[in-house]
Amino acid sequence: MSDLLQRLRGRGWRMTAQRRVVAEVLDGDHVHLTADEVLAQATARLPEISRATVYNTLGELVTLGEVIEVATGGRAKRYDPNAHHPHQHLVCSGCGAIRDVHPTGDPLSALPPAERFGFTVSAAEVTYRGLCPDCGPAA
């Protein structure tokens, strides 16, 4: 059973066939699918699943904090099931590929106290941008 499915079962989330398929599609490392990609893969497994069900399920998973919605600047939002393991993202400016990265150090410590403007900072989201090997100069 996937990590996401285990977490959802532990929360007592009602596991319909449609919800299960969406959770299964999102399972894995470095999974960052768009809603349409989730829909396509879910439909391949369960042809009667609807677009509304997939979108509603994704919204629910984000609200529950079990999936992270990742905006990549002008592209479709992507959904990351790696919500319980702190990480940042590496995004290809060419094709939009996304990888989870785990740099050393605390990103909160990079923000000097003078730049916090009185905020009590509780989290930081860091996105690294560049070109993947397929889109880079050697491609």
Side-chain angles (χ1 to χ4, degrees):
M1 182 183 324
S2 77
D3 185 45
L4 179 57
L5 282 172
Q6 286 179 334
R7 292 193 321 255
L8 293 170
R9 282 216 168 103
R11 293 180 77 119
W13 197 54
R14 193 170 61 94
M15 192 64 66
T16 64
Q18 294 86 353
R19 286 174 161 190
R20 180 182 182 82
V21 165
V22 171
E24 287 173 349
V25 165
L26 289 171
D27 186 39
D29 292 332
H30 303 288
V31 173
H32 301 92
L33 300 173
T34 66
D36 285 341
E37 290 169 335
V38 173
L39 175 63
Q41 290 186 34
T43 302
R45 294 176 187 204
L46 188 69
E48 64 271 16
I49 196 167
S50 71
R51 175 182 296 276
T53 297
V54 169
Y55 278 68
N56 289 338
T57 302
L58 289 171
E60 247 184 275
L61 292 171
V62 169
T63 299
L64 287 172
E66 295 296 341
V67 171
I68 300 167
E69 198 172 63
V70 180
T72 58
R75 295 181 186 259
K77 293 176 191 169
R78 294 182 174 265
Y79 296 88
D80 180 357
N82 197 5
H84 295 280
H85 305 287
H87 64 283
Q88 286 87 40
H89 293 105
L90 180 61
V91 178
C92 178
S93 302
C95 67
I98 303 175
R99 299 290 292 187
D100 290 348
V101 292
H102 304 87
T104 57
D106 177 12
L108 290 177
S109 66
L111 184 63
E115 291 294 317
R116 295 180 187 210
F117 301 99
F119 280 65
T120 301
V121 181
S122 58
E125 293 179 18
V126 177
T127 302
Y128 300 92
R129 298 188 188 283
L131 294 174
C132 71
D134 291 339
C135 295

